[in-house]
Amino acid sequence: MKYLLGLLFLIVIGCNKSKIESEENLSTEKSEAKKIPYKEFLTSINRKSRDEKKNYLFKYINYDIPDYWTSTPWSFNGTSREPQKGTIACGYFVTNTLTDFGFDINRTYLAQQASSIMIKKLCKDFKYFSKRQDLDNYILSKDKNQVYLVGLDFHTGFITRENKDTYFIHSSYINNKGVVKELTKNSQALNASKTFMIGTLNY
């Protein structure tokens, strides 16, 4: 009996050790993937065909851009072309990352315009709302894995939807926080706005 209990103990310990080693290896793989320099990452993106990039756009905005750009500081005049270097204003955050993906746009001009001009240039199916709840209902009525541009009273950024969760990805001016991906329901910048214009990003 003692022999069997001892054997079971060794098996459990061995399984847990294997699980831990497996999780550590997975963690290492993820961290190594994030160590790819941003310029090399963009090169790999732009090797894709147009159809491949069209299917990849959601992943790029929803996952890759936050991975690289989160915590890059905001400033009103920020124009950084590389994450974690310098500062980035909300409009430039949108146009720079889209240009990096391959959008053929005048990024400087659009970054300096009202967000409504940028949305009309880059999006389809744009809508105006004056109630926050109407914005949420609209997004949840659309297909998943879409990328939207949103224009607020004095701010702009991306909105994405994963299942029933919606996220605001933007360079936040609040406390100069900078680039952040946050649930829309928790976003101070989004919830402070009185007007909303949204369009489905068209590539």
Side-chain angles (χ1 to χ4, degrees), residues 150-168:
V150 64
L152 309 179
D153 294 342
F154 309 104
H155 193 52
T156 189
F158 301 102
I159 286 182
T160 57
R161 176 190 166 195
E162 296 178 42
N163 298 316
K164 292 186 178 180
D165 290 327
T166 56
Y167 295 91
F168 189 29

Side-chain angles (χ1 to χ4, degrees), residues 102-128:
F103 279 75
D104 184 14
I105 57 176
N106 187 332
R107 65 176 185 83
T108 301
Y109 169 78
L110 288 178
Q112 296 174 354
Q113 303 306 307
S115 54
S116 59
I117 294 175
M118 181 165 58
I119 291 170
K120 288 178 180 178
K121 174 72 175 178
L122 298 173
C123 297
K124 58 181 181 180
D125 304 326
F126 42 85
K127 303 284 185 182
Y128 297 90

Side-chain angles (χ1 to χ4, degrees), residues 126-142:
F126 42 85
K127 303 284 185 182
Y128 297 90
F129 300 106
S130 59
K131 294 181 181 179
R132 192 58 189 80
Q133 189 60 48
D134 290 342
L135 177 69
D136 289 344
N137 292 339
Y138 174 74
I139 296 169
L140 292 174
S141 73
K142 306 286 280 184

Side-chain angles (χ1 to χ4, degrees), residues 3-203:
Y3 173 77
L4 288 174
L5 288 173
L7 183 60
L8 285 172
F9 177 77
L10 289 173
I11 290 171
V12 170
I13 293 297
C15 289
N16 285 339
K17 184 179 180 183
S18 296
K19 182 180 179 182
I20 291 169
E21 288 175 348
S22 176
E23 289 175 350
E24 287 177 347
N25 289 338
L26 181 60
S27 176
T28 301
E29 287 173 7
K30 286 183 178 179
S31 67
E32 286 177 354
K34 291 182 181 180
K35 288 178 182 176
I36 300 171
Y38 187 62
K39 290 181 180 178
E40 288 183 26
F41 164 70
L42 294 181
T43 298
S44 69
I45 292 292
N46 285 293
R47 288 196 186 107
K48 297 178 182 293
S49 69
R50 185 172 181 84
D51 286 342
E52 288 174 328
K53 289 173 77 172
K54 190 172 183 177
N55 292 328
Y56 190 76
L57 179 62
F58 175 80
K59 183 179 184 300
Y60 173 77
I61 297 296
N62 194 56
Y63 300 112
D64 296 332
I65 288 303
D67 278 348
Y68 280 99
W69 281 89
T70 291
S71 299
T72 305
W74 173 92
S75 75
F76 183 77
N77 296 311
T79 61
S80 178
R81 295 306 311 274
E82 192 169 348
Q84 313 307 324
K85 293 186 178 179
T87 60
I88 189 76
C90 61
Y92 275 98
F93 172 66
V94 171
T95 62
N96 285 2
T97 55
L98 291 181
T99 301
D100 287 346
F101 187 78
F103 279 75
D104 184 14
I105 57 176
N106 187 332
R107 65 176 185 83
T108 301
Y109 169 78
L110 288 178
Q112 296 174 354
Q113 303 306 307
S115 54
S116 59
I117 294 175
M118 181 165 58
I119 291 170
K120 288 178 180 178
K121 174 72 175 178
L122 298 173
C123 297
K124 58 181 181 180
D125 304 326
F126 42 85
K127 303 284 185 182
Y128 297 90
F129 300 106
S130 59
K131 294 181 181 179
R132 192 58 189 80
Q133 189 60 48
D134 290 342
L135 177 69
D136 289 344
N137 292 339
Y138 174 74
I139 296 169
L140 292 174
S141 73
K142 306 286 280 184
D143 292 337
K144 294 184 292 184
N145 297 348
Q146 296 289 326
V147 178
Y148 305 93
L149 288 185
V150 64
L152 309 179
D153 294 342
F154 309 104
H155 193 52
T156 189
F158 301 102
I159 286 182
T160 57
R161 176 190 166 195
E162 296 178 42
N163 298 316
K164 292 186 178 180
D165 290 327
T166 56
Y167 295 91
F168 189 29
I169 303 166
H170 63 120
S171 184
S172 179
Y173 61 90
I174 295 177
N175 298 322
N176 293 0
K177 189 173 184 179
V179 178
V180 63
K181 176 183 177 180
E182 56 191 355
L183 287 166
T184 54
K185 64 183 179 182
N186 297 334
S187 173
Q188 288 179 273
L190 190 65
N191 293 322
S193 187
K194 302 298 182 184
T195 58
F196 310 89
M197 180 180 179
I198 190 169
T200 307
L201 189 59
N202 187 31
Y203 181 69

